[in-house]
Amino acid sequence: YEVINELGQTLFERSKLERANPARREEFLRAAAQRFHDALAVDTENATAHYNLGLIHAALGETDKAAEHRALHERYR
């Protein structure tokens, strides 16, 4: 799951370079979210994945999902 988290983090960082292209930014954010969900499939208590999913869902405007992952991050860190 460490390698999966690293890939998710890389995609998340890449999304930040696409501020001028919202559609492309969202593609990278969704790809990053999928990688972090892949990490959670291996380890449901993965604090890194929950933390980053909280950030990603907030960036996508999905406040309920963001709050859920922030709470899970607090629980598992």
Side-chain angles (χ1 to χ4, degrees), residues 19-33:
R19 299 236 185 247
N21 187 344
R24 189 80 170 128
R25 178 176 176 261
E26 184 175 339
E27 286 178 30
F28 279 109
L29 287 170
R30 297 214 181 270

Side-chain angles (χ1 to χ4, degrees), residues 15-53:
S15 76
K16 295 175 185 178
L17 299 175
E18 295 293 339
R19 299 236 185 247
N21 187 344
R24 189 80 170 128
R25 178 176 176 261
E26 184 175 339
E27 286 178 30
F28 279 109
L29 287 170
R30 297 214 181 270
Q34 184 55 55
R35 296 298 72 77
F36 289 118
H37 282 290
D38 292 345
L40 290 176
V42 176
D43 176 14
T44 59
E45 297 180 3
N46 188 301
T48 301
H50 286 297
Y51 175 78
N52 283 289
L53 283 166

Side-chain angles (χ1 to χ4, degrees), residues 12 29 33 36-37 40 46-73:
F12 182 47
L29 287 170
F36 289 118
H37 282 290
L40 290 176
N46 188 301
T48 301
H50 286 297
Y51 175 78
N52 283 289
L53 283 166
L55 295 175
I56 290 168
H57 287 301
L60 290 169
E62 300 169 347
T63 56
D64 290 343
K65 289 181 181 180
E68 175 186 346
H69 285 289
R70 280 194 301 267
L72 289 167
H73 171 255

